[in-house]
Amino acid sequence: MEWQHLIGYADTQREVVEKALESILENMDIDERRKFDIQYQVLEDKTIKSMKNK
């Protein structure tokens, strides 16, 4: 039996992580969320750029 079934949060590890991230994002204030969104976009842009260079 997988650990997430034991604690009852979700059926898969992916769902557990998604729910945890949703909870964190929902509890951020506007400034925290804005900073997070900027940082996320920077990382996403770097990923796209690195994939294009392959």
Short mmCIF file of all heavy atoms in Angstrom, two decimals:
data_model
loop_
_atom_site.label_atom_id
_atom_site.label_comp_id
_atom_site.label_asym_id
_atom_site.label_seq_id
_atom_site.Cartn_x
_atom_site.Cartn_y
_atom_site.Cartn_z
N MET A 1 0.85 -1.19 0.00
CA MET A 1 0.00 0.00 0.00
C MET A 1 0.89 1.25 0.00
O MET A 1 1.84 1.33 0.74
CB MET A 1 -0.90 -0.01 1.24
CG MET A 1 -1.88 1.14 1.27
SD MET A 1 -3.01 1.08 2.67
CE MET A 1 -4.12 -0.18 2.15
N GLU A 2 0.57 2.20 -0.86
CA GLU A 2 1.38 3.42 -0.95
C GLU A 2 1.07 4.36 0.20
O GLU A 2 -0.04 4.38 0.73
CB GLU A 2 1.11 4.11 -2.29
CG GLU A 2 1.57 3.28 -3.48
CD GLU A 2 1.34 3.98 -4.79
OE1 GLU A 2 1.39 5.21 -4.82
OE2 GLU A 2 1.12 3.26 -5.77
N TRP A 3 2.04 5.19 0.55
CA TRP A 3 1.91 6.06 1.73
C TRP A 3 0.76 7.03 1.62
O TRP A 3 0.10 7.31 2.60
CB TRP A 3 3.22 6.80 1.99
CG TRP A 3 3.56 7.82 0.95
CD1 TRP A 3 4.26 7.62 -0.19
CD2 TRP A 3 3.20 9.19 0.95
NE1 TRP A 3 4.37 8.79 -0.90
CE2 TRP A 3 3.73 9.76 -0.23
CE3 TRP A 3 2.49 10.00 1.82
CZ2 TRP A 3 3.55 11.10 -0.54
CZ3 TRP A 3 2.33 11.34 1.50
CH2 TRP A 3 2.85 11.87 0.33
N GLN A 4 0.47 7.57 0.42
CA GLN A 4 -0.60 8.56 0.32
C GLN A 4 -1.96 7.94 0.62
O GLN A 4 -2.85 8.63 1.08
CB GLN A 4 -0.59 9.28 -1.03
CG GLN A 4 -0.94 8.44 -2.23
CD GLN A 4 0.25 7.76 -2.83
OE1 GLN A 4 1.30 7.65 -2.21
NE2 GLN A 4 0.11 7.25 -4.03
N HIS A 5 -2.11 6.65 0.37
CA HIS A 5 -3.37 5.98 0.71
C HIS A 5 -3.52 5.90 2.23
O HIS A 5 -4.61 6.02 2.75
CB HIS A 5 -3.42 4.57 0.12
CG HIS A 5 -3.54 4.58 -1.37
ND1 HIS A 5 -4.68 4.19 -2.02
CD2 HIS A 5 -2.67 4.92 -2.34
CE1 HIS A 5 -4.51 4.29 -3.32
NE2 HIS A 5 -3.29 4.74 -3.54
N LEU A 6 -2.41 5.72 2.91
CA LEU A 6 -2.45 5.62 4.36
C LEU A 6 -2.88 6.92 5.02
O LEU A 6 -3.60 6.91 6.00
CB LEU A 6 -1.07 5.20 4.91
CG LEU A 6 -0.59 3.81 4.51
CD1 LEU A 6 0.85 3.60 4.97
CD2 LEU A 6 -1.49 2.75 5.14
N ILE A 7 -2.44 8.05 4.45
CA ILE A 7 -2.80 9.32 5.07
C ILE A 7 -4.07 9.91 4.49
O ILE A 7 -4.60 10.87 5.01
CB ILE A 7 -1.64 10.34 5.01
CG1 ILE A 7 -1.20 10.61 3.58
CG2 ILE A 7 -0.46 9.85 5.85
CD1 ILE A 7 -0.12 11.68 3.46
N GLY A 8 -4.56 9.36 3.39
CA GLY A 8 -5.86 9.71 2.87
C GLY A 8 -5.98 11.04 2.13
O GLY A 8 -7.07 11.55 1.96
N TYR A 9 -4.88 11.61 1.68
CA TYR A 9 -4.96 12.89 0.98
C TYR A 9 -5.33 12.75 -0.49
O TYR A 9 -6.00 13.61 -1.04
CB TYR A 9 -3.64 13.65 1.10
CG TYR A 9 -3.43 14.27 2.45
CD1 TYR A 9 -2.39 13.85 3.27
CD2 TYR A 9 -4.26 15.27 2.93
CE1 TYR A 9 -2.19 14.39 4.52
CE2 TYR A 9 -4.08 15.82 4.17
CZ TYR A 9 -3.04 15.39 4.97
OH TYR A 9 -2.85 15.93 6.20
N ALA A 10 -4.87 11.69 -1.14
CA ALA A 10 -5.13 11.50 -2.56
C ALA A 10 -4.79 10.08 -2.96
O ALA A 10 -4.22 9.32 -2.19
CB ALA A 10 -4.30 12.49 -3.37
N ASP A 11 -5.14 9.75 -4.20
CA ASP A 11 -4.89 8.39 -4.69
C ASP A 11 -3.49 8.20 -5.25
O ASP A 11 -3.01 7.08 -5.33
CB ASP A 11 -5.91 8.04 -5.78
CG ASP A 11 -7.32 7.91 -5.21
OD1 ASP A 11 -7.45 7.54 -4.02
OD2 ASP A 11 -8.28 8.17 -5.95
N THR A 12 -2.86 9.30 -5.67
CA THR A 12 -1.51 9.19 -6.23
C THR A 12 -0.59 10.24 -5.62
O THR A 12 -1.06 11.25 -5.07
CB THR A 12 -1.51 9.40 -7.76
OG1 THR A 12 -1.88 10.76 -8.05
CG2 THR A 12 -2.46 8.44 -8.46
N GLN A 13 0.70 10.03 -5.76
CA GLN A 13 1.68 11.00 -5.25
C GLN A 13 1.53 12.33 -5.99
O GLN A 13 1.64 13.40 -5.40
CB GLN A 13 3.10 10.46 -5.39
CG GLN A 13 3.37 9.30 -4.47
CD GLN A 13 4.75 8.72 -4.66
OE1 GLN A 13 5.52 9.18 -5.49
NE2 GLN A 13 5.07 7.71 -3.88
N ARG A 14 1.27 12.24 -7.29
CA ARG A 14 1.08 13.46 -8.08
C ARG A 14 -0.07 14.30 -7.52
O ARG A 14 0.03 15.51 -7.40
CB ARG A 14 0.83 13.10 -9.54
CG ARG A 14 0.65 14.31 -10.42
CD ARG A 14 0.29 13.89 -11.86
NE ARG A 14 0.14 15.06 -12.68
CZ ARG A 14 0.89 15.35 -13.72
NH1 ARG A 14 1.84 14.52 -14.08
NH2 ARG A 14 0.69 16.43 -14.42
N GLU A 15 -1.18 13.66 -7.20
CA GLU A 15 -2.33 14.37 -6.64
C GLU A 15 -2.00 15.00 -5.30
O GLU A 15 -2.45 16.10 -5.00
CB GLU A 15 -3.52 13.43 -6.49
CG GLU A 15 -4.17 13.05 -7.80
CD GLU A 15 -5.32 12.06 -7.61
OE1 GLU A 15 -5.91 12.01 -6.52
OE2 GLU A 15 -5.62 11.34 -8.58
N VAL A 16 -1.21 14.32 -4.49
CA VAL A 16 -0.79 14.87 -3.19
C VAL A 16 0.00 16.15 -3.40
O VAL A 16 -0.26 17.17 -2.76
CB VAL A 16 0.04 13.84 -2.38
CG1 VAL A 16 0.64 14.50 -1.15
CG2 VAL A 16 -0.82 12.65 -1.99
N VAL A 17 0.95 16.12 -4.33
CA VAL A 17 1.78 17.29 -4.60
C VAL A 17 0.92 18.42 -5.16
O VAL A 17 1.06 19.58 -4.76
CB VAL A 17 2.94 16.95 -5.56
CG1 VAL A 17 3.68 18.19 -6.00
CG2 VAL A 17 3.89 15.97 -4.88
N GLU A 18 0.02 18.11 -6.09
CA GLU A 18 -0.86 19.13 -6.66
C GLU A 18 -1.72 19.79 -5.59
O GLU A 18 -1.85 21.02 -5.55
CB GLU A 18 -1.75 18.53 -7.75
CG GLU A 18 -1.02 18.20 -9.02
CD GLU A 18 -1.87 17.45 -10.04
OE1 GLU A 18 -3.01 17.05 -9.71
OE2 GLU A 18 -1.39 17.26 -11.17
N LYS A 19 -2.29 18.99 -4.70
CA LYS A 19 -3.12 19.54 -3.62
C LYS A 19 -2.30 20.40 -2.66
O LYS A 19 -2.76 21.44 -2.20
CB LYS A 19 -3.83 18.41 -2.86
CG LYS A 19 -4.94 17.78 -3.65
CD LYS A 19 -5.65 16.72 -2.85
CE LYS A 19 -6.78 16.13 -3.66
NZ LYS A 19 -7.70 15.36 -2.84
N ALA A 20 -1.09 19.96 -2.36
CA ALA A 20 -0.22 20.73 -1.46
C ALA A 20 0.12 22.07 -2.09
O ALA A 20 0.05 23.12 -1.42
CB ALA A 20 1.05 19.95 -1.14
N LEU A 21 0.46 22.07 -3.37
CA LEU A 21 0.80 23.31 -4.05
C LEU A 21 -0.42 24.23 -4.13
O LEU A 21 -0.31 25.44 -3.89
CB LEU A 21 1.34 23.03 -5.46
CG LEU A 21 1.81 24.24 -6.26
CD1 LEU A 21 2.87 25.03 -5.50
CD2 LEU A 21 2.34 23.81 -7.61
N GLU A 22 -1.58 23.69 -4.45
CA GLU A 22 -2.82 24.48 -4.48
C GLU A 22 -3.05 25.16 -3.14
O GLU A 22 -3.41 26.33 -3.08
CB GLU A 22 -4.02 23.58 -4.79
CG GLU A 22 -4.26 23.33 -6.24
CD GLU A 22 -5.46 22.42 -6.46
OE1 GLU A 22 -6.37 22.40 -5.60
OE2 GLU A 22 -5.49 21.74 -7.49
N SER A 23 -2.87 24.41 -2.07
CA SER A 23 -3.09 24.96 -0.73
C SER A 23 -2.14 26.11 -0.43
O SER A 23 -2.55 27.15 0.09
CB SER A 23 -2.91 23.86 0.31
OG SER A 23 -3.05 24.38 1.61
N ILE A 24 -0.88 25.94 -0.80
CA ILE A 24 0.11 27.00 -0.58
C ILE A 24 -0.26 28.23 -1.38
O ILE A 24 -0.27 29.35 -0.86
CB ILE A 24 1.52 26.51 -0.94
CG1 ILE A 24 1.98 25.45 0.06
CG2 ILE A 24 2.52 27.67 -1.00
CD1 ILE A 24 3.23 24.70 -0.37
N LEU A 25 -0.58 28.05 -2.66
CA LEU A 25 -0.90 29.17 -3.53
C LEU A 25 -2.15 29.91 -3.07
O LEU A 25 -2.21 31.14 -3.11
CB LEU A 25 -1.05 28.71 -4.98
CG LEU A 25 0.22 28.18 -5.65
CD1 LEU A 25 -0.10 27.62 -7.04
CD2 LEU A 25 1.29 29.24 -5.73
N GLU A 26 -3.16 29.18 -2.63
CA GLU A 26 -4.40 29.79 -2.17
C GLU A 26 -4.20 30.65 -0.92
O GLU A 26 -4.96 31.59 -0.69
CB GLU A 26 -5.45 28.71 -1.89
CG GLU A 26 -6.01 28.08 -3.14
CD GLU A 26 -6.93 26.90 -2.82
OE1 GLU A 26 -7.12 26.57 -1.64
OE2 GLU A 26 -7.44 26.31 -3.79
N ASN A 27 -3.18 30.33 -0.13
CA ASN A 27 -2.97 31.04 1.12
C ASN A 27 -1.94 32.18 1.00
O ASN A 27 -1.65 32.83 2.00
CB ASN A 27 -2.56 30.07 2.22
CG ASN A 27 -3.73 29.21 2.63
OD1 ASN A 27 -4.75 29.71 3.08
ND2 ASN A 27 -3.60 27.90 2.46
N MET A 28 -1.43 32.41 -0.20
CA MET A 28 -0.48 33.51 -0.41
C MET A 28 -1.25 34.83 -0.52
O MET A 28 -2.35 34.86 -1.08
CB MET A 28 0.31 33.32 -1.70
CG MET A 28 1.36 32.27 -1.64
SD MET A 28 2.22 32.22 -3.25
CE MET A 28 3.49 31.05 -2.86
N ASP A 29 -0.64 35.90 -0.01
CA ASP A 29 -1.25 37.19 -0.25
C ASP A 29 -0.88 37.65 -1.66
O ASP A 29 -0.12 36.99 -2.37
CB ASP A 29 -0.85 38.22 0.82
CG ASP A 29 0.63 38.58 0.85
OD1 ASP A 29 1.28 38.54 -0.21
OD2 ASP A 29 1.13 38.90 1.94
N ILE A 30 -1.42 38.77 -2.08
CA ILE A 30 -1.25 39.23 -3.46
C ILE A 30 0.22 39.43 -3.82
O ILE A 30 0.66 39.01 -4.90
CB ILE A 30 -2.04 40.54 -3.70
CG1 ILE A 30 -3.53 40.25 -3.59
CG2 ILE A 30 -1.72 41.15 -5.05
CD1 ILE A 30 -4.41 41.48 -3.58
N ASP A 31 0.99 40.05 -2.94
CA ASP A 31 2.41 40.29 -3.23
C ASP A 31 3.20 38.99 -3.32
O ASP A 31 4.05 38.83 -4.21
CB ASP A 31 3.05 41.20 -2.18
CG ASP A 31 2.56 42.63 -2.30
OD1 ASP A 31 2.18 43.05 -3.41
OD2 ASP A 31 2.55 43.34 -1.27
N GLU A 32 2.94 38.05 -2.41
CA GLU A 32 3.62 36.76 -2.46
C GLU A 32 3.29 36.02 -3.76
O GLU A 32 4.17 35.44 -4.39
CB GLU A 32 3.21 35.88 -1.28
CG GLU A 32 3.73 36.34 0.05
CD GLU A 32 3.16 35.53 1.20
OE1 GLU A 32 1.96 35.16 1.16
OE2 GLU A 32 3.92 35.27 2.14
N ARG A 33 2.03 36.06 -4.14
CA ARG A 33 1.60 35.37 -5.36
C ARG A 33 2.24 36.01 -6.59
O ARG A 33 2.67 35.31 -7.52
CB ARG A 33 0.07 35.38 -5.47
CG ARG A 33 -0.47 34.65 -6.68
CD ARG A 33 -0.02 33.19 -6.67
NE ARG A 33 -0.29 32.54 -7.91
CZ ARG A 33 -1.26 31.66 -8.11
NH1 ARG A 33 -2.05 31.32 -7.13
NH2 ARG A 33 -1.44 31.11 -9.28
N ARG A 34 2.33 37.32 -6.61
CA ARG A 34 2.96 38.02 -7.73
C ARG A 34 4.43 37.61 -7.85
O ARG A 34 4.91 37.30 -8.94
CB ARG A 34 2.84 39.53 -7.54
CG ARG A 34 3.29 40.33 -8.75
CD ARG A 34 3.04 41.83 -8.58
NE ARG A 34 1.63 42.12 -8.45
CZ ARG A 34 1.07 42.77 -7.41
NH1 ARG A 34 1.81 43.22 -6.42
NH2 ARG A 34 -0.23 42.99 -7.37
N LYS A 35 5.14 37.56 -6.72
CA LYS A 35 6.54 37.15 -6.73
C LYS A 35 6.68 35.70 -7.20
O LYS A 35 7.57 35.37 -7.99
CB LYS A 35 7.15 37.30 -5.34
CG LYS A 35 7.36 38.73 -4.93
CD LYS A 35 7.86 38.80 -3.50
CE LYS A 35 7.90 40.22 -3.00
NZ LYS A 35 8.28 40.30 -1.57
N PHE A 36 5.80 34.84 -6.71
CA PHE A 36 5.82 33.44 -7.13
C PHE A 36 5.61 33.33 -8.63
O PHE A 36 6.34 32.60 -9.32
CB PHE A 36 4.75 32.63 -6.39
CG PHE A 36 4.63 31.23 -6.91
CD1 PHE A 36 5.45 30.23 -6.43
CD2 PHE A 36 3.70 30.91 -7.89
CE1 PHE A 36 5.36 28.93 -6.93
CE2 PHE A 36 3.59 29.63 -8.39
CZ PHE A 36 4.42 28.63 -7.91
N ASP A 37 4.61 34.04 -9.15
CA ASP A 37 4.31 33.97 -10.58
C ASP A 37 5.49 34.43 -11.43
O ASP A 37 5.78 33.84 -12.46
CB ASP A 37 3.06 34.80 -10.90
CG ASP A 37 1.78 34.16 -10.37
OD1 ASP A 37 1.78 32.95 -10.09
OD2 ASP A 37 0.78 34.89 -10.24
N ILE A 38 6.18 35.48 -10.98
CA ILE A 38 7.35 35.97 -11.71
C ILE A 38 8.45 34.92 -11.71
O ILE A 38 9.04 34.61 -12.75
CB ILE A 38 7.86 37.30 -11.12
CG1 ILE A 38 6.86 38.42 -11.42
CG2 ILE A 38 9.24 37.65 -11.65
CD1 ILE A 38 7.11 39.70 -10.64
N GLN A 39 8.74 34.34 -10.54
CA GLN A 39 9.78 33.32 -10.44
C GLN A 39 9.43 32.10 -11.27
O GLN A 39 10.29 31.50 -11.94
CB GLN A 39 10.00 32.93 -8.98
CG GLN A 39 10.62 34.04 -8.16
CD GLN A 39 10.66 33.70 -6.69
OE1 GLN A 39 10.19 32.66 -6.24
NE2 GLN A 39 11.24 34.59 -5.91
N TYR A 40 8.17 31.70 -11.24
CA TYR A 40 7.72 30.55 -12.03
C TYR A 40 7.91 30.81 -13.52
O TYR A 40 8.39 29.95 -14.26
CB TYR A 40 6.26 30.24 -11.72
CG TYR A 40 5.76 29.00 -12.42
CD1 TYR A 40 5.91 27.75 -11.84
CD2 TYR A 40 5.14 29.09 -13.66
CE1 TYR A 40 5.46 26.61 -12.48
CE2 TYR A 40 4.69 27.95 -14.31
CZ TYR A 40 4.85 26.72 -13.71
OH TYR A 40 4.41 25.60 -14.36
N GLN A 41 7.55 32.02 -13.96
CA GLN A 41 7.69 32.37 -15.37
C GLN A 41 9.15 32.35 -15.81
O GLN A 41 9.47 31.88 -16.90
CB GLN A 41 7.07 33.74 -15.66
CG GLN A 41 7.00 34.06 -17.13
CD GLN A 41 6.12 33.09 -17.90
OE1 GLN A 41 4.99 32.83 -17.50
NE2 GLN A 41 6.63 32.53 -18.98
N VAL A 42 10.05 32.85 -14.96
CA VAL A 42 11.48 32.83 -15.27
C VAL A 42 11.95 31.38 -15.47
O VAL A 42 12.65 31.07 -16.43
CB VAL A 42 12.30 33.53 -14.17
CG1 VAL A 42 13.79 33.25 -14.31
CG2 VAL A 42 12.04 35.04 -14.18
N LEU A 43 11.56 30.50 -14.55
CA LEU A 43 11.96 29.09 -14.68
C LEU A 43 11.36 28.43 -15.92
O LEU A 43 12.03 27.66 -16.61
CB LEU A 43 11.54 28.32 -13.43
CG LEU A 43 12.29 28.66 -12.16
CD1 LEU A 43 11.67 27.95 -10.97
CD2 LEU A 43 13.76 28.30 -12.29
N GLU A 44 10.12 28.75 -16.20
CA GLU A 44 9.47 28.19 -17.38
C GLU A 44 10.17 28.67 -18.66
O GLU A 44 10.42 27.89 -19.58
CB GLU A 44 8.00 28.60 -17.41
CG GLU A 44 7.17 27.84 -18.42
CD GLU A 44 5.70 28.11 -18.25
OE1 GLU A 44 5.28 29.27 -18.48
OE2 GLU A 44 4.97 27.17 -17.91
N ASP A 45 10.51 29.97 -18.71
CA ASP A 45 11.23 30.51 -19.87
C ASP A 45 12.59 29.85 -20.04
O ASP A 45 13.00 29.54 -21.17
CB ASP A 45 11.40 32.03 -19.74
CG ASP A 45 10.07 32.78 -19.84
OD1 ASP A 45 9.06 32.18 -20.27
OD2 ASP A 45 10.05 33.97 -19.47
N LYS A 46 13.31 29.61 -18.93
CA LYS A 46 14.61 28.95 -19.01
C LYS A 46 14.45 27.52 -19.53
O LYS A 46 15.26 27.06 -20.33
CB LYS A 46 15.27 28.91 -17.63
CG LYS A 46 15.86 30.21 -17.21
CD LYS A 46 16.56 30.07 -15.86
CE LYS A 46 17.21 31.35 -15.42
NZ LYS A 46 17.92 31.19 -14.13
N THR A 47 13.43 26.83 -19.10
CA THR A 47 13.18 25.47 -19.56
C THR A 47 12.90 25.46 -21.06
O THR A 47 13.46 24.64 -21.80
CB THR A 47 12.00 24.83 -18.80
OG1 THR A 47 12.31 24.81 -17.41
CG2 THR A 47 11.70 23.44 -19.30
N ILE A 48 12.06 26.35 -21.50
CA ILE A 48 11.74 26.43 -22.93
C ILE A 48 12.98 26.74 -23.74
O ILE A 48 13.24 26.11 -24.77
CB ILE A 48 10.64 27.49 -23.17
CG1 ILE A 48 9.30 26.99 -22.60
CG2 ILE A 48 10.49 27.78 -24.67
CD1 ILE A 48 8.22 28.05 -22.54
N LYS A 49 13.77 27.70 -23.28
CA LYS A 49 14.99 28.07 -23.98
C LYS A 49 15.97 26.90 -24.06
O LYS A 49 16.57 26.64 -25.10
CB LYS A 49 15.66 29.26 -23.28
CG LYS A 49 16.88 29.78 -23.99
CD LYS A 49 17.46 30.98 -23.28
CE LYS A 49 18.70 31.46 -23.96
NZ LYS A 49 19.31 32.61 -23.27
N SER A 50 16.13 26.18 -22.95
CA SER A 50 17.07 25.06 -22.95
C SER A 50 16.59 23.92 -23.85
O SER A 50 17.41 23.23 -24.46
CB SER A 50 17.31 24.54 -21.53
OG SER A 50 16.18 23.88 -21.03
N MET A 51 15.29 23.73 -23.95
CA MET A 51 14.77 22.68 -24.83
C MET A 51 14.95 23.05 -26.31
O MET A 51 15.17 22.18 -27.14
CB MET A 51 13.31 22.41 -24.52
CG MET A 51 13.13 21.78 -23.13
SD MET A 51 11.45 21.29 -22.81
CE MET A 51 11.38 19.80 -23.77
N LYS A 52 14.86 24.34 -26.61
CA LYS A 52 15.05 24.79 -27.99
C LYS A 52 16.50 24.64 -28.41
O LYS A 52 16.78 24.46 -29.59
CB LYS A 52 14.63 26.25 -28.14
CG LYS A 52 13.14 26.45 -28.13
CD LYS A 52 12.78 27.91 -28.30
CE LYS A 52 11.30 28.11 -28.32
NZ LYS A 52 10.94 29.54 -28.44
N ASN A 53 17.43 24.74 -27.46
CA ASN A 53 18.86 24.65 -27.76
C ASN A 53 19.36 23.22 -27.92
O ASN A 53 20.51 23.01 -28.23
CB ASN A 53 19.69 25.37 -26.68
CG ASN A 53 19.47 26.87 -26.74
OD1 ASN A 53 19.16 27.43 -27.78
ND2 ASN A 53 19.63 27.53 -25.61
N LYS A 54 18.51 22.25 -27.69
CA LYS A 54 18.94 20.84 -27.79
C LYS A 54 18.89 20.36 -29.20
O LYS A 54 18.24 20.72 -30.05
CB LYS A 54 18.06 19.95 -26.89
CG LYS A 54 18.40 20.14 -25.45
CD LYS A 54 17.62 19.14 -24.61
CE LYS A 54 18.06 19.30 -23.15
NZ LYS A 54 17.45 18.34 -22.31
#
